[in-house]
Amino acid sequence: GTSTHELLTTVGSPQFRALDWIANHDEAQLAVAPNINGANDNIDSSIDVGDRLVQRFVLAVLYFSTNLSSSTNMNEGWKKKRHYWLSSKHECEWKTDGGVRSCDSNKRVTDISIWNNLVGTIPHEIGSLKKLQILYLARNDLHGTIPSSIGQLKELTYLGLHHNQLTGTFPANYMGNLTKLRTVYLEKNDLVGTIKRMDPFCQLKYDAVPPPGQMHSGGVLRLVTSDCRILVDWQNPEITCSCCTKCFAA
């Protein structure tokens, strides 16, 4: 889920803009080490400062990656006013039509839910939010592919990407570590390909190991939707999905 040197140094890229914002425009001005007096008001003891910088950077990359239809002036923001997003406030208070909806007791982001006419792509860096449990980016105008780095979000329980313009294949082979994932919405996109029963993703539904003392009743994955409905015999669906529980027409 980390940014490459090329992306960080390419002027105008979301990663470059996020790094520039943190270094030169972020009013919080987080410090990695205490000042000469041994204290720093911007150091949050509930989360390592390095981890918080990563968290803040990833959220900034998400903003710049999904703000492609607006002016390059960040103050003009998304379709609706971005409120506290990219403000001096703690990331747990960054809310825009949902936004960061919750954090854990250590102020690590656990829920990102945004429906704000986002236009752009889902950045690979999203996989660095290690405590994320809910990712809801449905009903926006997102395109490009679904990043395989989502497979690094081991705490994820809910993934909602439906009603966008996402393309390519679903990265099923990278999802085997998401053993807490219960719900995935993929319908009403432009995804293609085959999600096979033996793919690591589908195995989350069929073969997960139950907790000690409990009988095996299949995996934790309970709901998977995609554009896998067959309308006519001579036309294949956009996606062939062996573990989808509900199919929609493209």
Side-chain angles (χ1 to χ4, degrees):
T2 57
S3 302
T4 65
H5 179 267
E6 181 181 0
L7 289 174
L8 288 170
T9 56
T10 299
V11 177
S13 72
Q15 292 77 11
F16 177 91
R17 296 177 68 190
L19 186 61
D20 176 68
W21 174 75
I22 284 183
N24 301 312
H25 305 287
D26 185 1
E27 295 177 2
Q29 288 296 294
L30 297 181
V32 176
N35 63 25
I36 193 171
N37 296 318
N40 190 305
D41 292 339
N42 289 326
I43 291 182
D44 189 339
S45 60
S46 65
I47 180 174
D48 178 82
V49 177
D51 288 342
R52 188 179 168 198
L53 277 170
V54 170
Q55 177 169 275
R56 203 166 177 86
F57 171 74
V58 171
L59 294 175
V61 172
L62 177 62
Y63 173 80
F64 289 117
S65 295
T66 56
N67 192 30
L68 299 184
S69 66
S70 67
S71 167
T72 55
N73 181 345
M74 68 176 67
N75 291 323
E76 294 191 14
W78 296 327
K79 179 180 179 181
K80 298 181 181 178
K81 188 177 179 182
R82 59 184 171 87
H83 299 299
Y84 298 133
W85 205 278
L86 297 194
S87 73
S88 61
K89 293 182 177 292
H90 194 283
E91 307 85 76
C92 294
E93 298 182 55
W94 286 8
K95 302 183 185 299
T96 298
D97 281 350
V100 178
R101 298 188 68 185
S102 68
C103 291
D104 63 15
S105 59
N106 291 318
K107 295 187 177 180
R108 290 178 170 88
V109 173
T110 59
D111 181 344
I112 295 177
S113 299
I114 310 175
W115 49 96
N116 193 7
N117 196 38
L118 307 187
V119 179
T121 60
I122 304 171
H124 184 76
E125 288 79 5
I126 199 75
S128 293
L129 297 177
K130 300 302 184 183
K131 297 299 181 180
L132 195 62
Q133 299 173 17
I134 297 174
L135 180 60
Y136 180 93
L137 299 176
R139 302 182 186 281
N140 287 295
D141 192 11
L142 299 174
H143 55 268
T145 59
I146 298 173
S148 60
S149 62
I150 287 177
Q152 300 172 18
L153 301 174
K154 295 183 180 180
E155 300 297 319
L156 198 66
T157 63
Y158 180 101
L159 178 63
L161 302 177
H162 46 304
H163 290 268
N164 280 291
Q165 299 181 45
L166 298 169
T167 57
T169 59
F170 180 70
N173 286 331
Y174 294 88
M175 301 295 168
N177 290 325
L178 304 186
T179 56
K180 298 181 181 181
L181 189 61
R182 296 181 61 87
T183 305
V184 178
Y185 289 99
L186 300 173
E187 79 273 10
K188 302 303 178 182
N189 278 291
D190 296 316
L191 300 171
V192 296
T194 300
I195 303 175
K196 301 176 182 178
R197 188 189 189 284
M198 296 307 297
D199 285 343
F201 174 70
C202 283
Q203 291 303 297
L204 297 173
K205 177 180 179 182
Y206 296 115
D207 295 324
V209 177
Q214 295 187 19
M215 294 181 61
H216 192 284
S217 59
V220 297
L221 189 60
R222 290 289 181 262
L223 177 64
V224 183
T225 68
S226 73
D227 296 324
C228 52
R229 182 180 176 185
I230 299 176
L231 292 178
V232 290
D233 292 338
W234 50 267
Q235 184 176 2
N236 292 327
E238 287 193 351
I239 291 182
T240 301
C241 180
S242 299
C243 54
C244 287
T245 56
K246 187 171 184 179
C247 289
F248 291 80

